[in-house]
Amino acid sequence: MTENSQAQPAANPELPTQYAPAEVEGKLYERWVERGYFEADEKSGKPPYTIVIPPPNVTGSLHLGHAFEHTIIDALTRRKRMQGHETLWQPGMDHAGIATQNVVERELAKEGKSRHDLGREAFVERVWQWKEESGGQISGQMRRLGDGVAWSRERFTMDDGLSAAVQTIFKRLFDDGLIYRAERIINWCPRCLTAISDIEVEYQDDDGELVSIKYGDGDETLVVATTRAETMLGDTAVAVHPDDERYAHLVGKRIKLPLTDRTIPVVADTHVDPEFGTGAVKVTPAHDPNDFEIGRRHDLPNITVMDERAVITVPGPFQGLDRFEARSTIVAALRADGRIVAEKRPYVHSVGHCSRCKTTVEPRLSLQWWVKVAPLAKEAGDAVRDGRVTIHPKEMEPRYFGWVDNLNDWCISRQLWWGHRIPVWHGPDGETVCVGPNEEPPTGEGWHQDTDVLDTWFSSGLWPFSTLGWPEQTPSLEKFYPNSVLVTGYDILFFWVARMMMFGLYAMDGTPPFHTIALHGMVRDQFGKKMSKSYGNAVNPLDWMDTYGSDAVRFTLARGANPGVDVPIGEDWVQGSRNFANKIWNATRFAMMNGATVEGPLPDASRMSATDRWILSRLNETVAQVDALYEDYQFAKLSDALFHFAWDEVFDWYVELSKTTFFAGGEQAKVSGRVLGEVLDVTLRLLHPIVPFVTETLWTTLTGKESVVVADWPADSGFRDQAAEREIEHLQQVVTEVRRFRADQGLQSGQKVPGRLDLSATPLAAHEAAIRQVLRLQAAGEDFHATATLPVAGATVELDLSGTIDVEAERKRLTKDRDAAEKEKQQAVAKLGNEAFLAKAPDNVVDKIRGRLSKAEADIERITAQLAALPES
C-alpha cells in the first residue's frame, strides 16, 4: 500500500447516479488497446510473465468455458502487469482442420458443389477466403470480455512463421527416427473421410444389438458374441484364454467361419477374459484395436471389409451394402443358417461418434503417419517428477502421469485438404524424402508430395514457442520462453498439455514450455450438469454480458474457480455479481461526495480514530491474503475475500460508521476522508484484475490518474492495529445483537426508534454517535419509556418500542415459537435418553439429534429473552 504522495485531486468527482456497463465497457477497452497497455516489449528490463491463450478454433465463438478460462488468465496477467512485470498474454487461433473444412464444405453444398469439384488448390484458397471474411469472430467477443491480450502479436496456426515451425520439427523428428509411417488401427469418420483423434470422439450410450454366433461345427464349435456382426467377414481367428480348459482341445485347430468359404484358427491369448461371456472372442484385426494387437502377436492376416465410407467391399452377397444395412442382413443370413444362438435387442452400449458430424466412428486399419512417443513422453514425465514443472492442483499429477507413462504412438496424419501438408515427397520407386522449410523438394517424373495433412494438435503442440518466432532465435523467444504458467482445463491435460510438454522439451533442449500448469474444471449449470445445446442448458455468455455487464460475468466465474474443480453457474449468481458492481459504484460515489480523497500522504495513526485504524489494519490483512491466494491460484477464495471485505467491511461497516464524522465536518472528517480515499484506492486496485471496467471508471475518477491498468499493485504496508480491530469487533457485536432484536420485533431496517445507550463498561464511548447512526436510534426524550432492555457485550441498550409494534400479536407469535422449540427439545431428550436407541443408531444420526437439542435450547433461551423484553400490553 502506497501513500499516493503524487496523487492529484479527482479531476471530475461527479459520477452518474447509476452504473451502465454498456455505455462504458467498449470505449474503455478500445482506449486500453490504443494506449498499448497490453503490448509486451522484449527489450524492457522488467521480469517477464508469459501466458499463451489456449488457441480457440477459428470457427468458434465465445462460450462460457472460454469466458471462464479467459477471466482467470486475464486476472493473472493484469495483476502481474501492475506488479511491474513485462507481461505477455499471447493471443491467436487454431486452424481447426476438420471443423473448418466441414464449414466450407457445407457452404459449397449450398451451391451444389463438393471440394472435389474445385480441386485441392482451389478448395484451400476458398478456405483461406472464408477465414479472412468470416473466421475469428471470437476475437471481437474476447474484447467484450475485456481480455488484455497483445493484439499486435496475434498468431494463426497456419501463419507462414508457424508453418515453418511445423516443418522444422517434423523434419527433426523424422531424421531422429521419431516419425514413421505404418498401418495401425485408427478412429475413422466415414462422413469426414479422415482419421480423427481420441478427443474428437464423443461416446454415448446407443441402442444396439448383441448377437451370439456359433462358429465351427460338431465338437469343434465355439460361440462368440458381437455388437458389430458385419465385421465377422474380416475375422481371421477366434481367441480363448490359454488356461481355459473348455477350449484347450481346440487351440491350434481351424474352424469354419460362417457365411464364408474360409476357415480360421483358434488361438490362445491372455487378453481374453475367460469369465466374460463364453470366454471366446472373434478376432478382426483390421477393425478393432484390441484385435489388431492379438493379430500382431499371432501373425494373423488383416482383412479390411469396408471402404472409407463404411461400405462392405468383400465380394459376395453383402458387397456394396452400408455397414448398418450389412449388419441386419448378415444377422438374418446367420439366423437362416441356424448360427444365431442368442439375440439381445435393444442392447445399450457405449459407441463413439465424430464430434464434428456425429457419425458413428469406425475403427479401421489404415496407413498413417505416427510419432514414436516413448522417449518424448518419458521426458515429459521426468520434467514434472524432478520439479521443473509444477502441476496445480497437485492432486492432478497422477492423472498426468497416468497419461504420459502409458502413451501409445500418436497418429498425426489426417485425410483432409485444410491443414499443414505432410512435408514428405514420395518417389517413383518407393523413395521417401522429408523436406525442411528452407529445402527444395525433389522433382522429376513420379515424385509427389504426401496427400495427408497433420493433426491440428501437432501444430498447437508448438504454440508456446512457435508464436515467439521459433525456429529463429528471436528476442521474443529469448525474453518470453519458457511461459510462466499454462492455464487450461483438466479435460485436455493429455491432448494438448502433454503434447506441448513433449515438443517443448524436445525442441528447446530440455527446457519445458512452462513453469506451472494450472488446471481448472469445467463450467456446468447450477445443478452441476454439463452444459449442452442438446440438454437445453447451454448459455451464451454474450447474452449475460448484454444484460448484466462483463464485470458481473467475470466475477461470477472467478468466484466459482476452485483449482481443478468443476464450476456450477446460474443466472441468479450473475445477478448477484451485478449487484456487487452496483454496490461498488454507489458506495464509491457516496464516499467521493462526502470527502473521500487520495490527495496527500496518509495522516499519522495518532490522528486517526479507532475506526480508521481498524479499516486500514483490515485492508493490509486483505492485501496479504489476496496475494497469497493468487500465488496458489485460489480464485474462488480470493474473490470471496475481496467481496466480503469490500461489501461488508468497507461499505457496510466503515462507510456507515464514518457517516457521523463526515456529517460533522472538521479536522476528523478530513482525516477519515483521506483514510477512506486510501481504502477505496487500494480496494479498487485489488478488484481490478477480476472486474476491470467498473474499477477503471471509479479509480480514474477518484485519483485523476491515467489508468488502473498500469497502476501499481497494492503492497502490504505492514500496518496492523490489533487493539483497534478488537474494539471494532466489540462494536460489531453490540450492533449485530441489537439489529437481530429489531428484526425479531418486526422493525424495518431504516425505522427509527428512541433508544438509550450505556457504554460505560465498554471501550466504545467514543463510538456512541456512530452506533446510534447505524442502529437508527433517536435520542431519548422526556417521554422515553424503556419497553426493552438489552444487555449486549457489556453494553446496555434500552429501547422504547411503544407504538411501533403490536405487542400482543408479537407475544403470541413468540410464545408459539417457544412452544415449538420446547416440543423439539423434549423429543430430542427422549431419544437421547433411550439406551436401546443409542445402541442401534449410527453415530451420525445421534450427532444430528444432539445438534437439534442444542439448537432447541438456544432458541428457547433467545425467545424467552425476547418475551421478557416486550413492553407490558
Side-chain angles (χ1 to χ4, degrees), residues 214-223 247 249-250 255 339:
K214 183 174 64 176
Y215 282 28
D217 294 298
D219 293 337
E220 298 181 352
T221 297
L222 287 167
V223 174
Y247 306 119
H249 65 291
L250 292 177
I255 60 174
R339 293 284 176 175

Side-chain angles (χ1 to χ4, degrees), residues 609-642:
S609 68
T611 310
D612 294 334
R613 297 193 305 276
W614 163 74
I615 197 62
L616 288 176
S617 184
R618 291 295 307 128
L619 176 66
N620 280 284
E621 183 61 39
T622 301
V623 170
Q625 181 184 10
V626 168
D627 273 334
L629 292 170
Y630 259 114
E631 295 305 315
D632 200 33
Y633 303 97
Q634 296 281 357
F635 283 90
K637 290 181 179 179
L638 73 87
S639 299
D640 214 45
L642 286 169

Side-chain angles (χ1 to χ4, degrees), residues 85-255:
H85 289 255
E86 192 61 44
T87 302
L88 170 60
W89 182 7
Q90 173 67 54
M93 286 182 291
D94 192 282
H95 64 278
I98 296 177
T100 307
Q101 180 158 317
N102 280 349
V103 167
V104 178
E105 285 196 86
R106 283 195 294 269
E107 284 196 349
L108 286 174
K110 294 175 184 177
E111 304 170 13
K113 298 178 182 177
S114 74
R115 61 184 164 116
H116 300 284
D117 295 324
L118 272 67
R120 182 166 193 150
E121 187 174 334
F123 176 77
V124 170
E125 185 177 333
R126 178 71 175 261
V127 180
W128 274 110
Q129 179 184 341
W130 175 89
K131 186 263 181 184
E132 296 303 321
E133 295 175 357
S134 307
Q137 63 173 315
I138 199 170
S139 294
Q141 296 165 347
M142 287 165 59
R143 294 170 182 261
R144 284 285 312 276
L145 188 64
D147 286 1
V149 300
W151 287 113
S152 69
R153 293 172 175 264
E154 187 174 13
R155 304 304 300 268
F156 182 56
T157 49
M158 286 187 63
D159 285 348
D160 289 343
L162 272 66
S163 294
V166 167
Q167 283 184 269
T168 299
I169 201 163
F170 187 99
K171 181 168 177 57
R172 288 189 188 179
L173 290 164
F174 183 89
D175 290 347
D176 286 346
L178 295 175
I179 283 182
Y180 64 94
R181 197 181 191 210
E183 280 195 322
R184 298 282 188 276
I185 294 288
I186 44 86
N187 301 308
W188 182 266
C189 176
R191 157 60 184 80
C192 299
L193 300 180
T194 181
I196 59 177
S197 67
D198 290 341
I199 198 173
E200 292 162 326
V201 179
E202 294 179 348
Y203 287 89
Q204 66 184 47
D205 288 341
D206 286 357
D207 285 345
E209 60 180 355
L210 180 69
V211 293
S212 297
I213 309 168
K214 183 174 64 176
Y215 282 28
D217 294 298
D219 293 337
E220 298 181 352
T221 297
L222 287 167
V223 174
V224 299
T226 182
T227 58
R228 301 164 66 215
E230 68 280 8
T231 63
M232 67 168 291
L233 300 175
D235 286 358
T236 55
V238 173
V240 298
H241 194 276
D243 300 331
D244 195 334
E245 296 181 357
R246 294 173 295 175
Y247 306 119
H249 65 291
L250 292 177
V251 175
K253 294 186 177 180
R254 302 183 70 86
I255 60 174

Side-chain angles (χ1 to χ4, degrees), residues 468-771:
L468 298 173
W470 187 90
E472 301 299 323
Q473 295 304 306
T474 64
S476 288
L477 188 66
E478 183 178 352
K479 176 78 173 183
F480 295 113
Y481 187 91
N483 292 186
S484 306
V485 61
L486 173 76
V487 177
T488 192
Y490 63 70
D491 58 321
I492 56 174
L493 181 59
F494 162 60
F495 300 104
W496 189 42
V497 179
R499 282 153 170 70
M500 285 190 290
M501 286 286 283
M502 290 191 296
F503 280 169
L505 289 159
Y506 175 78
M508 302 301 291
D509 299 321
T511 302
F514 20 72
H515 297 301
T516 301
I517 301 169
L519 298 171
H520 60 73
M522 304 292 97
V523 177
R524 298 183 178 273
D525 69 14
Q526 64 266 44
F527 306 109
K529 190 174 182 180
K530 179 181 177 181
M531 285 192 174
S532 167
K533 290 181 181 179
S534 60
Y535 295 153
N537 63 350
V539 173
N540 183 347
L542 297 174
D543 293 339
W544 280 354
M545 289 184 211
D546 290 340
T547 305
Y548 305 110
S550 297
D551 284 332
V553 175
R554 289 171 62 115
F555 194 71
T556 303
L557 291 165
R559 284 194 85 180
N562 288 299
V565 178
D566 288 346
V567 183
I569 185 173
E571 187 168 3
D572 55 337
W573 302 341
V574 186
Q575 292 172 357
S577 295
R578 186 268 315 272
N579 295 343
F580 179 52
N582 289 341
K583 182 77 169 181
I584 300 170
W585 182 273
N586 294 332
T588 304
R589 182 173 179 274
F590 170 85
M592 292 174 63
M593 291 172 61
N594 287 275
T597 179
V598 296
E599 186 176 4
L602 273 175
D604 188 79
S606 62
R607 297 171 56 202
M608 297 179 188
S609 68
T611 310
D612 294 334
R613 297 193 305 276
W614 163 74
I615 197 62
L616 288 176
S617 184
R618 291 295 307 128
L619 176 66
N620 280 284
E621 183 61 39
T622 301
V623 170
Q625 181 184 10
V626 168
D627 273 334
L629 292 170
Y630 259 114
E631 295 305 315
D632 200 33
Y633 303 97
Q634 296 281 357
F635 283 90
K637 290 181 179 179
L638 73 87
S639 299
D640 214 45
L642 286 169
F643 174 87
H644 287 295
F645 175 72
W647 191 307
D648 299 343
E649 297 187 281
V650 179
F651 303 143
D652 278 358
W653 281 108
Y654 181 73
V655 171
E656 287 297 316
L657 290 172
S658 300
K659 282 182 178 178
T660 53
T661 301
F662 292 137
F663 296 161
E667 185 61 27
Q668 190 57 52
K670 292 180 181 179
V671 171
S672 293
R674 180 64 189 88
V675 170
L676 180 53
E678 180 77 4
V679 171
L680 290 174
D681 169 21
V682 173
T683 302
L684 291 170
R685 282 186 280 150
L686 288 174
L687 284 165
H688 172 72
I690 299 176
V691 284
F693 294 108
V694 67
T695 52
E696 171 80 342
T697 305
L698 293 174
W699 190 85
T700 52
T701 305
L702 172 70
T703 66
K705 290 186 176 181
E706 178 184 347
S707 174
V708 70
V709 177
V710 290
D712 290 339
W713 180 253
D716 177 6
S717 71
F719 178 83
R720 300 289 192 280
D721 192 324
Q722 299 301 323
E725 291 200 37
R726 287 192 297 270
E727 188 171 323
I728 300 306
E729 286 172 8
H730 195 159
L731 181 153
Q732 290 172 327
Q733 290 176 9
V734 173
V735 171
T736 301
E737 288 301 316
V738 176
R739 279 176 169 169
R740 184 179 292 121
F741 176 79
R742 285 174 53 105
D744 288 339
Q745 304 307 314
L747 296 177
Q748 297 298 316
S749 60
Q751 186 174 352
K752 295 184 178 181
V753 296
R756 183 181 292 140
L757 293 176
D758 181 0
L759 303 172
S760 58
T762 74
L764 304 179
H767 300 282
E768 180 168 348
I771 293 173

Side-chain angles (χ1 to χ4, degrees), residues 299 322 329 454 520 629:
D299 198 24
D322 170 81
T329 304
L454 286 163
H520 60 73
L629 292 170

